[in-house]
Amino acid sequence: WEGDNRTMLDLCSHGANACFVTGDFDSMNALIDEVLSKDIDAKEKYRVSEIKVKSLHSIGKYNESIDAALDFNRQLGLPALQKKPASKFTIIREYIRVKRLLKNKTAEDIANLPKLDNERYEMGQRMNGHLATCIYRVEPTMFPLILFQTVTTTLKHGLSSSSSPAFAGLGLLLCGHFGKPHEGREIARAAELILEKPGMRRRAVRTIFITQCFCYHWTSPLQDTIAPLLKGYQIGLEIGDNDSACWCLLTRSFHLFFAGRSLDSIQKELEASIPVLTQLKQDDKKLSIIAHLTTVKKLRGIDAEAGDKILDSMLATAASTGDFSLSSLVNVMKLEVFVFYQEWKDAIDLVRKAGNVRQCLTGFFHSVRYTFLGALTYLKAAQSASGWKKRQMKKCALQTIQLIKGWAKNGNVNVVHYLYILDAELA
């Protein structure tokens, strides 16, 4: 280090990245610690800090990953959120601030913003991208604030390669959180236009994942997302963005399921996906795939008892790690099975205990499906109840149905047949 600081920094940084990609985490951590221990500028520590954040995320240590990312942003002298639940008031206040900055800008206006030329801000933007992924899983109320911060930096200081997924994320919030799918779709289009600018393709696959997973199903047939997600997976593998590629693969498998593809073909795809995710060391996605595969097999009457143990074990893991996203996903899958086999007592117990699944899966089609299954469960519970309990169950069902009707009124074609089923149960 004393003789050639720059060469040592490059060797350690590139070596840490190579070890991360190959799964040699012990050597990776040694190289990261070597760089972080040196008395050098925070910007020079960015590469190993990013690898540290990504590696912690990949092994499910989401809270540690968040802490590392926030700490690095503070070292850069950039604003860093406090890791704590955000109130509805705070979310709405920050949303209003972003709306004022947007000032009715069109998708084209956003895509034509000047390019960011501040290295410190660009590092912060990239770190916020990693933060958003982890925060979504363990502290979902903070998720909007991270996106608002990234979008605000873009509007004030210019476009970077992180701007495209940030605006796609804003589209996610508009579609799922604020119930404005057409505004969200326009913002998602801005994200895609940004990708056409020189030097902005680095996060292309992440943008494909966010727009196809969280935005477009609110106004277009779910089937329309399947081909773009497969393309995103293929492009991600080609360019080395394995994380985003595997998110595309995972989302595609769920959309095939929700769109009505045969269970036999879905099972074969899921079984083929697990070795791929294992090889690419995508443990968090593999857990979701296993939950999905377990559900498909239970629906087919295969290994039902073993499947129950697997899903219960996942819920225990999610509880121990604070992974609200995983626990919500597993509860959606369990509810699918209960409804399919008409196990209404188990279904209503799950709906009552599962918590705010829509908040923990903001924007996902899973949240839409869960809302439908929840409404159906409440109606069935009302049919078998009497007196005050019957009225309470029916009231919950009607409130949930009103939410689904609102989605249909806003152009969600994927819920129309859900409403036919619910209307038939009400008749």
Side-chain angles (χ1 to χ4, degrees):
W1 283 94
E2 290 76 13
D4 193 344
N5 181 292
R6 174 53 55 186
T7 300
M8 283 298 297
L9 179 62
D10 288 341
L11 286 172
C12 289
S13 300
H14 289 304
N17 187 60
C19 291
F20 170 60
V21 172
T22 59
D24 184 1
F25 280 24
D26 289 338
S27 299
M28 176 199 72
N29 286 325
L31 291 166
I32 289 173
D33 291 342
E34 175 75 12
V35 175
L36 295 181
S37 67
K38 299 302 175 184
D39 186 19
I40 54 179
D41 189 87
K43 290 190 291 186
E44 295 185 319
K45 297 179 180 180
Y46 170 75
R47 285 182 290 174
V48 295
S49 296
E50 183 182 35
I51 296 164
K52 181 177 181 178
V53 169
K54 289 163 62 177
S55 65
L56 288 168
H57 170 260
S58 71
I59 58 176
K61 295 185 176 181
Y62 306 116
N63 282 295
E64 291 180 37
S65 180
I66 291 167
D67 291 339
L70 290 173
D71 181 62
F72 180 76
N73 279 351
R74 292 188 188 101
Q75 290 180 43
L76 286 176
L78 297 174
L81 298 173
Q82 294 295 317
K83 194 176 76 172
K84 62 180 182 180
S87 66
K88 289 183 179 179
F89 171 79
T90 301
I91 293 169
I92 293 171
R93 182 192 66 201
E94 296 305 311
Y95 169 63
I96 291 171
R97 287 179 178 175
V98 169
K99 289 286 286 184
R100 286 174 178 168
L101 283 172
L102 282 169
K103 293 180 181 176
N104 298 317
K105 286 182 173 65
T106 64
E108 288 76 13
D109 293 334
I110 293 169
N112 287 322
L113 289 168
K115 189 173 181 179
L116 178 65
D117 61 0
N118 185 304
E119 185 182 22
R120 190 166 59 91
Y121 278 125
E122 185 162 359
M123 289 177 177
Q125 292 285 78
R126 291 175 67 174
M127 200 59 79
N128 277 349
H130 299 305
L131 262 173
T133 304
C134 291
I135 281 175
Y136 188 96
R137 302 189 74 102
V138 298
E139 192 51 77
T141 60
M142 282 181 66
F143 180 68
L145 302 186
I146 286 291
L147 291 176
F148 293 152
Q149 188 179 80
T150 310
V151 168
T152 296
T153 300
T154 295
L155 293 171
K156 288 183 175 180
H157 302 286
L159 297 172
S160 69
S161 59
S162 301
S163 299
S164 179
F167 275 95
L170 180 58
L172 177 168
L173 292 177
L174 288 168
C175 290
H177 200 91
F178 294 102
K180 299 181 178 182
H182 298 288
E183 287 185 34
R185 193 177 183 106
E186 180 69 4
I187 293 294
R189 190 169 72 86
E192 294 174 337
L193 290 175
I194 291 171
L195 292 177
E196 297 176 7
K197 300 294 179 180
M200 298 294 168
R201 297 291 299 176
R202 189 181 66 85
R203 301 292 281 166
V205 181
R206 178 65 62 159
T207 303
I208 291 171
F209 159 62
I210 297 172
T211 55
Q212 299 298 330
C213 178
F214 298 101
C215 300
Y216 290 149
H217 70 78
W218 293 98
T219 53
S220 298
L222 190 64
Q223 185 73 31
D224 290 355
T225 68
I226 291 171
L229 285 167
L230 177 59
K231 183 178 180 181
Y233 169 66
Q234 293 166 338
I235 294 172
L237 292 184
E238 289 171 4
I239 66 175
D241 188 356
N242 294 339
D243 182 59
S244 299
C246 292
W247 276 120
C248 288
L249 178 67
L250 174 63
T251 303
R252 179 177 178 274
S253 73
F254 279 114
H255 285 194
L256 286 170
F257 176 75
F258 293 131
R261 185 70 63 88
S262 72
L263 294 178
D264 177 59
S265 65
I266 293 173
Q267 181 176 335
K268 290 176 181 176
E269 285 207 23
L270 292 172
E271 288 172 340
S273 299
I274 290 175
V276 175
L277 295 171
T278 301
Q279 182 180 354
L280 296 174
K281 304 187 184 304
Q282 299 292 320
D283 293 345
D284 54 336
K285 287 87 166 174
K286 187 170 75 172
L287 268 180
S288 297
I289 286 283
I290 291 172
H292 192 189
L293 175 60
T294 301
T295 301
V296 169
K297 291 171 75 173
K298 282 173 65 65
L299 292 172
R300 299 186 68 207
I302 301 171
D303 298 334
E305 188 174 334
D308 289 335
K309 292 179 180 178
I310 291 170
L311 295 177
D312 289 341
S313 173
M314 285 187 178
L315 285 176
T317 299
S320 66
T321 59
D323 189 345
F324 297 116
S325 180
L326 177 61
S327 62
S328 296
L329 169 66
V330 172
N331 280 323
V332 173
M333 295 291 97
K334 286 172 71 75
L335 188 57
E336 285 279 358
V337 175
F338 291 149
V339 170
F340 181 81
Y341 287 110
Q342 300 185 47
E343 297 171 353
W344 300 114
K345 183 180 183 303
D346 289 332
I348 194 64
D349 287 345
L350 186 151
V351 170
R352 287 171 165 174
K353 296 175 182 177
N356 195 341
V357 169
R358 279 195 298 274
Q359 176 179 282
C360 296
L361 296 175
T362 296
F364 270 114
F365 190 79
H366 301 61
S367 65
V368 176
R369 179 71 176 177
Y370 179 84
T371 303
F372 160 66
L373 295 175
L376 188 59
T377 298
Y378 280 126
L379 285 176
K380 288 294 185 180
Q383 290 170 9
S384 61
S386 60
W388 175 85
K389 187 175 181 181
K390 182 183 184 73
R391 292 192 298 272
Q392 186 68 20
M393 291 296 103
K394 190 169 184 179
K395 179 182 177 181
C396 290
L398 291 174
Q399 288 174 341
T400 309
I401 291 170
Q402 282 301 117
L403 180 60
I404 299 173
K405 285 182 176 179
W407 293 337
K409 186 177 180 180
N410 280 330
N412 192 330
V413 297
N414 299 299
V415 301
V416 174
H417 64 296
Y418 291 166
L419 288 173
Y420 288 144
I421 295 170
L422 294 171
D423 285 343
E425 288 294 332
L426 274 170

